[in-house]
Amino acid sequence: MKYVIVGSGPAGVTAAETLRANDPQGEILLIGDEPGPPYSRMAIPYLLEGSIGEEGTRLRPDRDHFDRLQVALLEARVESLDSEDRLLVLSDGGRVQFDRLLLATGSRPVNPPVEGLDSPLVRHCWTLEDARHIMDHASQGSRVVLLGAGFIGCIIMEALVKRGVRLTVVEAGDRMVPRMMDQVAGHLIERWCIEQGIDVRTSTRINLVEGNEKGLRLQLEPGGDLEADLLVVAAGVVPNTGFLEGSGVTVEQGIRVDARQQTSVPAIYAAGDVCEGVDWDGGHGIHAIQPMAVETARVAALNMAGRETEHVGSMDMNVLDTLGLIATSFGRWQGVEGGDTASLLDERRFRYLKLQFEGERLIGAITLGTTDQVGALRGLIQSRRRLGRWKERLMQDPTRFMEAWAAIAS
């Protein structure tokens, strides 16, 4: 049996290890399109802030790890997939046959429609190469502009602050972290960042980037011109599926998979950020967080090795540390039509708790300024258990969610 995995991030590495544990004799090939050992993108901010070196970004620090597992590594970019002949075509003209294939190609950063983003002083923060470039230009006192204040942007922001730069954050949305936080929480995070000395400009766009290797001039709307030594783009990501055109693999928001992580084509599976998998409440969605990438890869690999296993379903779950202010969101944090909402707000202390209900079930939550027992919120939401009399109690006092979880789970 020849297993091929496209993508050498956390999902791909986990799948390779799971396959080897369940098929000692199978041939395993792990394809990645970046030089060097497999690494974690989530470690890049720690590299930027100087907490670790490049070796600390590696997913497996032992240099002999993949050799000992007899997992072959190939640095190559996949150009296309021929599902019928079970063949991958590489950008250098090479061909790779497979018996079973896992697509774990993750996401790619989005370039917003702004003229001038091809300047040498404009970078994403997505690869080790990006990180090296940013570290070369983001030194103490450098004028750095961060385009995007979403989840990834806020993580990068903290690393840039620790480098001592003069930071301006430009976000087109009306609040920070708009895909994770509501208006109340997003504005509180913005105020928190401003109090830490960051120039935050929400509801603002960059219309034009001009300059050369010596500096940049950014045209803002509103706000006029802004000079910078570096522009870091964090305007979102999309699943990396372009190579699948004409392959027969169904792609909607991402690669559509069933509970076994199998795509619309037998013997081809998908895992991680690239896949649109089964939700905790019966739907489908993309859950671009590393724990879910690892779990879906494990399930996919077990099925590839002949051990039928179903994924229980993923839930939207985000935990963000913005310069020491912790924010979380779970499930349907925006609420649903006809649902009920309960919330508590302490603006002075940057504390916020909001619960969303559908009937007798808790379906979503936002917390800001605390991490105490938030795992109970996740448990209440993901279990989909009826709250009974505890719904009314939580409507009156949302902080009692731990009591509710203990009572309902027992």
Side-chain angles (χ1 to χ4, degrees):
M1 181 71 69
K2 182 174 182 179
Y3 305 103
V4 175
I5 301 165
V6 184
S8 59
V13 168
T14 297
E17 293 167 342
T18 305
L19 284 169
R20 178 55 71 223
N22 288 274
D23 184 351
Q25 304 304 320
E27 182 183 349
I28 302 173
L29 175 64
L30 180 61
I31 302 175
D33 63 0
E34 293 185 52
Y39 70 93
S40 171
R41 299 197 196 284
M42 293 303 295
I44 287 178
Y46 301 102
L47 175 64
L48 286 179
E49 69 184 40
S51 299
I52 60 174
E54 286 198 18
E55 288 200 359
T57 68
R58 293 177 181 170
L59 286 166
R60 302 295 180 262
D62 184 352
R63 291 178 178 271
D64 297 327
H65 180 76
F66 296 100
D67 288 339
R68 286 189 289 102
L69 290 179
Q70 293 185 299
V71 172
L73 301 179
L74 174 64
E75 182 190 331
R77 183 178 296 275
V78 175
E79 192 74 24
S80 62
L81 165 63
D82 183 336
S83 300
E84 187 173 340
D85 289 338
R86 297 191 179 185
L87 176 71
L88 293 169
V89 179
L90 308 181
S91 59
D92 64 2
R95 302 285 193 272
V96 176
Q97 294 282 164
F98 62 86
D99 295 311
R100 289 178 185 162
L101 173 68
L102 176 65
L103 303 173
T105 49
S107 300
R108 58 179 175 81
V110 172
N111 250 339
V114 178
E115 185 181 346
L117 291 185
D118 55 351
S119 166
L121 293 178
V122 177
R123 300 295 291 207
H124 293 282
C125 187
W126 197 244
T127 66
L128 284 178
E129 182 183 354
D130 289 333
R132 295 180 194 115
H133 187 92
I134 291 170
M135 288 187 290
D136 285 342
H137 293 86
S139 55
Q140 185 77 31
S142 297
R143 301 164 301 173
V144 177
V145 176
L146 176 63
L147 173 55
F151 183 84
I152 295 172
C154 284
I155 293 173
I156 299 167
M157 177 179 63
E158 179 156 10
L160 292 170
V161 168
K162 290 182 177 179
R163 293 188 67 81
V165 306
R166 293 155 54 194
L167 183 62
T168 300
V169 177
V170 177
E171 166 59 45
D174 65 353
R175 64 191 185 274
M176 295 187 69
V177 211
R179 296 186 179 179
M180 174 182 165
M181 295 279 114
D182 67 6
Q183 294 234 357
V184 173
H187 289 313
L188 282 173
I189 294 172
E190 179 179 348
R191 199 183 98 212
W192 174 270
C193 291
I194 291 171
E195 291 186 9
Q196 313 301 311
I198 300 171
D199 181 6
V200 180
R201 306 190 190 190
T202 52
S203 300
T204 303
R205 297 181 180 275
I206 297 177
N207 287 335
L208 177 67
V209 178
E210 296 179 318
N212 49 38
E213 67 279 357
K214 295 182 180 180
L216 299 172
R217 185 178 66 85
L218 314 178
Q219 186 183 94
L220 306 186
E221 182 187 351
D225 292 349
L226 182 66
E227 293 186 348
D229 301 306
L230 176 70
L231 172 62
V232 179
V233 179
V237 297
V238 294
N240 213 355
T241 60
F243 68 99
L244 294 175
E245 186 175 349
S247 68
V249 173
T250 298
V251 178
E252 295 180 9
Q253 290 182 324
I255 301 172
R256 191 69 177 257
V257 296
D258 61 18
R260 297 173 59 246
Q261 298 299 131
Q262 186 169 246
T263 71
S264 57
V265 178
I268 299 179
Y269 298 76
D273 298 4
V274 76
C275 79
E276 184 181 346
V278 177
D279 271 339
W280 58 283
D281 60 356
H284 277 73
I286 295 174
H287 304 278
I289 58 174
Q290 189 162 311
M292 289 300 102
V294 167
E295 176 59 17
T296 55
R298 186 188 69 85
V299 171
L302 287 172
N303 285 295
M304 291 169 72
R307 292 186 55 188
E308 190 160 328
T309 307
E310 290 195 353
H311 181 41
V312 296
S314 302
M315 183 178 76
D316 282 334
M317 177 181 65
N318 293 289
V319 180
L320 178 64
D321 181 348
T322 307
L323 303 172
L325 181 61
I326 308 298
T328 70
S329 63
F330 301 99
R332 309 295 186 202
W333 58 266
Q334 311 96 322
V336 293
E337 186 176 353
D340 295 310
T341 300
S343 62
L344 284 176
L345 173 63
D346 183 343
E347 289 192 55
R348 184 182 62 83
R349 299 176 61 228
F350 295 92
R351 298 287 189 270
Y352 182 52
L353 172 61
K354 186 176 186 180
L355 306 182
Q356 299 284 4
F357 302 89
E358 184 176 35
E360 290 188 17
R361 293 187 173 93
L362 182 67
I363 59 167
I366 289 173
T367 75
L368 187 68
T370 181
T371 57
D372 290 347
Q373 302 172 331
V374 293
L377 278 176
R378 177 187 176 186
L380 279 172
I381 297 166
Q382 197 158 19
S383 69
R384 294 187 57 78
R385 296 189 182 188
R386 294 186 180 275
L387 297 169
R389 62 184 181 181
W390 273 101
K391 179 185 176 181
E392 186 59 33
R393 293 175 180 176
L394 289 173
M395 290 288 293
Q396 294 176 3
D397 183 359
T399 64
R400 298 185 67 185
F401 60 82
M402 184 63 201
E403 293 177 66
W405 172 239
I408 292 170
S410 62

